Amino acid sequence: MAAEEKVIVIDFGGQYNQLVARRVRECNVYCEIYSYRTPIEQIKEMSPKGIILTGGPNSCYEEGAPTYTKELFELGIPVLGLCYGAQLMMHVLGGKVEKAPVREYGKTETFIDGSKDALFAGVEDKTIVWMSHFDYISKVAPGFEIIAHTADCPVAAAACEDKKLYAIQFHPEVLHTVKGKDILHNFVRNICATSGSWRMDSFVENTIKEIREKVGDGKVLLALSGGVDSSVLAALLAKAIGKQLTCVFVDHGLLRKNEGDEVESVFGPNGNFDINFVRVNAAERYYAKLKGVEEPERKRKIIGEEFIRVFEEEAKKIGTVDFLAQGTIYPDVVESGLGGESVVIKSHHNVGGLPDYVDFKEIIEPLRSLFKDEVRKAGLELGLPEYLVFRQPFPGPGLGIRIIGEVNAEKVRIVQDADFIYREELAAAGLKKLPDQYFAALSNMRSVGVMGDERTYDYAIVLRAVETIDFMTAEASEIPFEVLQKVMSRIINEVKGVNRVMYDLTSKPPGTVELE
């Protein structure tokens, strides 16, 4: 997605690189992440309105540490260094960085010393920021003045106003920094003199135009999973090219209750969009392939491989298409090592490598510049129903990994019904905030119980609910006991085959969000 004006983030391996970019976009300014290895010539060609240097795990004064040429600070473009980025700016420009006598970590009281006309406009003289550093700036570079300090950090922020260079030791991008959003807004909108024209309505409008220009009268094929990303992509393509789009929805029988029908109600013949929609009801085929398989990773592979086989069969019926559409989003790009410097977290199936089972000319990925929250905003802008746009994260293998042990139709029914009750009761409970993810899973444990005058020997359902910011770590949600009691009572009474309900209190780590 081209943008008239943008701020770029140069990544030095910081854990918050994506968060920095998201915060910039919250200022309605487009932002992209680049590695510190990006040549200065490439940055010049981009003509960014501003540059932000991220944190990182290294010491800038050590041999081999990530660095950048001094020329970056001489382009006349405003630069904001955060944590390691601040230290590197001082180091490159003639200041001094050393091991700190006192390491600062966590919420820290900070005192503003300098003018409040630029970076700290609207920030009180005393504020709380988030620190995370073991090195510190012991001497600022020539031309800089100290504009903030803490009890243990003499240079919490420094500025060279003439050149619009700013170095701050703390992390304004995290919510723990009370005025962090204001500080970033001051830099991005005021110091960088941006217009703030990056909005989702303009993204949708511009992207529809770009898709029409690129596709022309060609045909586009999309594997529609029913998840947020593929659903928003389907809606975007439908608005752009209508019947030139064919969506193949493979219902593997491992979706949540009613989800297959919900997807069809939106994209099918009686739905909101005039496209070619193919639903393949492949549940029995999947159950046959999964018969007797208990090991989680083997189940994942079978489900993934079978999806490819089914999609391939349907694609052959359609014949040659010009474009294969994929729901790649920006975190997929960054986490695959293509958009930044941070440790590669995953090799996403949408990034790199082209499928060899479909006859097509080119891949298109219209959402690859968006973060997940932006994808949701685009979905609303496109008229998708809220229940689909705000659908909870759902693993690709679906209920296949929420059923411990062998997967079959009976177990799928049990977990679908239990999960439906759980979600229904949490929605009706009037909680101030719903957990970030919550679901029911089916354990492989069976135990003796008593229902009426009879003994039972049935399964145990495990309820999971977590609070998380990034899904890298998570804590169990504190759901009121009376709500859990009601959920338990309904599941026991309404779901045949269950006589026990348990609540999983495990955090991540050591556990995972999914049970598997």
Side-chain angles (χ1 to χ4, degrees):
M1 169 65 190
E4 289 183 8
E5 59 178 23
K6 68 179 174 183
V7 168
I8 67 169
V9 170
I10 298 181
D11 181 16
F12 291 91
Q15 61 178 316
Y16 300 129
N17 64 342
Q18 290 188 40
L19 190 54
V20 175
R22 281 181 60 191
R23 292 285 180 257
V24 172
R25 293 194 190 183
E26 286 171 7
C27 299
N28 298 121
V29 176
Y30 186 64
C31 183
E32 290 180 338
I33 302 169
Y34 292 90
S35 165
Y36 71 87
R37 293 182 173 88
T38 305
I40 187 73
E41 291 76 19
Q42 186 178 338
I43 288 176
K44 285 180 185 176
E45 287 172 10
M46 287 187 265
S47 299
K49 299 285 284 185
I51 298 169
I52 299 177
L53 313 181
T54 74
N58 303 94
S59 292
C60 65
Y61 48 80
E62 290 180 347
E63 188 176 345
T67 189
Y68 210 86
T69 173
K70 186 179 179 182
E71 190 180 349
L72 182 75
F73 307 104
E74 299 168 346
L75 298 176
I77 298 170
V79 182
L80 173 65
L82 310 179
C83 198
Y84 180 87
Q87 296 169 3
L88 181 67
M89 184 187 294
M90 293 297 102
H91 179 70
V92 169
L93 295 178
K96 191 169 185 182
V97 178
E98 300 179 83
K99 191 73 70 182
V102 178
R103 178 185 174 180
E104 286 184 312
Y105 184 81
K107 294 180 181 179
T108 306
E109 192 172 56
T110 300
F111 304 91
I112 309 302
D113 303 316
S115 163
K116 293 191 181 178
D117 294 336
L119 193 65
F120 291 136
V123 181
E124 295 81 1
D125 291 341
K126 186 167 65 174
T127 187
I128 298 295
V129 306
W130 184 261
M131 288 284 193
S132 178
H133 66 103
F134 48 81
D135 288 336
Y136 82 121
I137 299 164
S138 57
K139 179 184 174 185
V140 296
F144 282 79
E145 66 170 318
I146 298 170
I147 57 174
H149 74 279
T150 73
D152 296 310
C153 182
V155 186
C160 179
E161 297 280 3
D162 293 342
K163 295 183 178 179
K164 295 186 177 179
L165 303 178
Y166 300 87
I168 56 179
Q169 183 59 69
F170 54 87
H171 290 274
E173 68 273 22
V174 301
L175 295 178
H176 304 300
T177 297
V178 175
K179 290 288 186 176
K181 286 186 178 182
D182 296 317
I183 294 168
L184 285 173
H185 189 277
N186 288 337
F187 177 74
V188 170
R189 293 294 297 274
N190 302 335
I191 294 170
C192 296
T194 55
S195 64
S197 58
W198 165 253
R199 287 186 169 82
M200 206 42 59
D201 53 355
S202 58
F203 169 84
V204 169
E205 185 181 335
N206 293 336
T207 304
I208 285 173
K209 288 179 185 175
E210 289 176 7
I211 291 169
R212 285 174 180 159
E213 287 174 9
K214 187 174 186 66
V215 171
D217 59 0
K219 293 181 180 179
V220 179
L221 178 63
L222 169 65
L224 178 62
S225 70
V228 177
D229 301 337
S230 72
S231 295
V232 172
L233 177 56
L236 190 63
L237 291 166
K239 293 274 189 182
I241 57 172
K243 283 285 192 182
Q244 292 167 249
L245 170 67
T246 298
C247 289
V248 176
F249 170 48
V250 179
D251 186 347
H252 49 30
L254 302 170
L255 297 171
R256 288 168 287 208
K257 188 171 183 175
N258 301 330
E259 274 192 343
D261 293 338
E262 288 172 359
V263 172
E264 184 168 359
S265 71
V266 174
F267 295 103
N270 301 314
N272 308 344
F273 302 99
D274 186 23
I275 61 173
N276 299 304
F277 177 81
V278 179
R279 178 175 179 175
V280 185
N281 294 308
E284 295 306 319
R285 178 171 173 170
Y286 274 85
Y287 298 158
K289 288 282 184 180
L290 292 166
K291 185 178 175 63
V293 180
E294 298 190 0
E295 201 270 316
E297 195 56 35
R298 182 71 191 122
K299 287 193 287 185
R300 280 179 177 274
K301 287 179 179 175
I302 289 171
I303 293 166
E305 288 168 4
E306 199 59 19
F307 174 84
I308 291 174
R309 299 286 80 80
V310 175
F311 187 62
E312 179 183 22
E313 290 166 13
E314 294 303 318
K316 283 178 179 175
K317 295 175 188 175
I318 296 165
T320 302
V321 295
D322 301 285
F323 300 91
L324 181 69
Q326 292 192 154
T328 307
I329 66 174
Y330 200 48
D332 299 332
V333 176
V334 175
E335 291 173 6
S336 298
L338 303 179
E341 189 53 38
S342 298
V343 175
V344 175
I345 298 168
K346 62 180 178 180
S347 297
H348 194 277
H349 69 279
N350 281 345
V351 181
L354 302 182
D356 57 6
Y357 53 87
V358 178
D359 189 7
F360 66 97
K361 297 175 185 175
E362 191 177 343
I363 281 183
I364 54 173
E365 299 170 312
L367 303 179
R368 70 179 283 124
S369 67
L370 299 188
F371 288 102
K372 179 70 87 174
D373 56 330
E374 293 170 327
V375 173
R376 295 187 198 279
K377 288 176 186 173
L380 294 175
E381 194 69 33
L382 288 159
L384 287 174
E386 285 197 10
Y387 70 79
L388 202 160
V389 170
F390 292 103
R391 180 164 281 167
Q392 286 189 59
F394 192 56
L399 299 179
I401 59 170
R402 291 184 183 171
I403 295 172
I404 310 303
E406 181 187 4
V407 174
N408 57 44
E410 176 67 5
K411 287 184 174 181
V412 170
R413 177 197 60 78
I414 290 172
V415 77
Q416 281 181 336
D417 289 348
D419 182 71
F420 185 81
I421 290 169
Y422 186 30
R423 288 186 288 129
E424 192 173 60
E425 288 300 329
L426 283 193
L431 303 178
K432 285 185 180 178
K433 177 186 175 296
L434 286 170
D436 293 301
Q437 188 169 359
Y438 51 99
F439 57 86
L442 181 62
S443 76
N444 206 23
M445 182 186 86
R446 299 181 76 181
S447 63
V448 173
V450 178
M451 296 184 77
D453 296 324
E454 296 181 356
R455 287 163 67 86
T456 60
Y457 185 63
D458 287 327
Y459 287 105
I461 282 286
V462 180
L463 304 178
R464 182 77 160 137
V466 297
E467 307 296 329
T468 181
I469 295 173
D470 53 12
F471 285 90
M472 302 301 290
T473 62
E475 295 291 334
S477 299
E478 294 185 35
I479 296 174
F481 188 69
E482 60 271 19
V483 177
L484 290 175
Q485 283 283 86
K486 189 171 183 182
V487 173
M488 175 276 297
S489 178
R490 281 195 61 192
I491 290 175
I492 295 292
N493 288 317
E494 298 176 32
V495 183
K496 186 180 177 184
V498 177
N499 66 0
R500 254 173 228 277
V501 176
M502 299 181 286
Y503 187 67
D504 183 4
L505 292 171
T506 316
S507 61
K508 176 187 179 182
T512 59
V513 173
E514 299 288 344
L515 272 68
E516 298 208 48

